[in-house]
Amino acid sequence: MTWTVASFTDLLDSEFPPRWAEPWDRVGLVTGRPEQPVTRVLAVVDVLPSTVAEALDTGADMIIAHHPLLLSGVSSVAATTYRGRIVHDLIGNGVALYVAHTNADVARPGVSDALADLLGLTDTRPLRATEDGRGFGRVGSLPAPLTLGEFAHLAAGALPVAGWGVRVAGDPARPVATVAVCGGSGDEFIPDAVAAGADVYLTGDLKHHRVADLLAAGGPALVDAGHYATERPWLTPLAAWLRTATGLETIVSDTTTDPFGFHACATLDPVA
């Protein structure tokens, strides 16, 4: 079969229907002529100059991204901003761009399934479910109980975490058996993790006061592994599915787009 942007978009829309996306989200096809052939695909978390350069270097003519390039309304795509330059680079080089964001978050399998699988969770279910059984986040069980300290080291070793590793709130000796996870910014789902009876909740972008309040109230432990690190695992099963469904070469981006590249301690030298 010869794949085109139109047929590839139809395939992705069937797996991650745009109607599943949140009302504020912007998903689906961003650039690309419908009749344009698709021969090689690059899967990325973020559409940035570095990942677009990777697409051009690898000869990809389709990018599938998790985060939207144009989330807010724009009145110009002039090449005077980095987003405008990206649009010009994509169109000028015949590279189509497709975004699956919150519609991929709630899909089953979706972003949080990949995160849960990487941590070895079993018997998973949505953390905040929709009526049709989809939903944000996942909650499941570890194969065997761990301490919070052991679980934190498991997460740090399994996930592509930033230079500062993972941040942990809670007693390192606390037993952990039931785990809740959410890829990306999962701060708003803390009440769902509490209601699910989770011993620990792992996500990204946790806020100071929410964490402090939860610990003071005797809630679950919290692990902040970062936004990028909790969403990057999804690219691997996504690429595997696309290879099976299309027969096309699908590359998972090697470019780390976490903006936090290192952390600094009390010494003067940065720690990579």
Side-chain angles (χ1 to χ4, degrees), residues 144-165:
L146 299 173
T147 65
L148 176 60
E150 291 169 335
F151 175 77
H153 284 289
L154 169 68
L159 301 175
V161 295
W164 45 263

Side-chain angles (χ1 to χ4, degrees), residues 163-188:
W164 45 263
V166 300
R167 300 187 298 170
V168 186
D171 182 352
R174 176 178 181 156
V176 169
T178 301
V179 178
V181 301
C182 183
S185 297
D187 187 84
E188 69 175 286

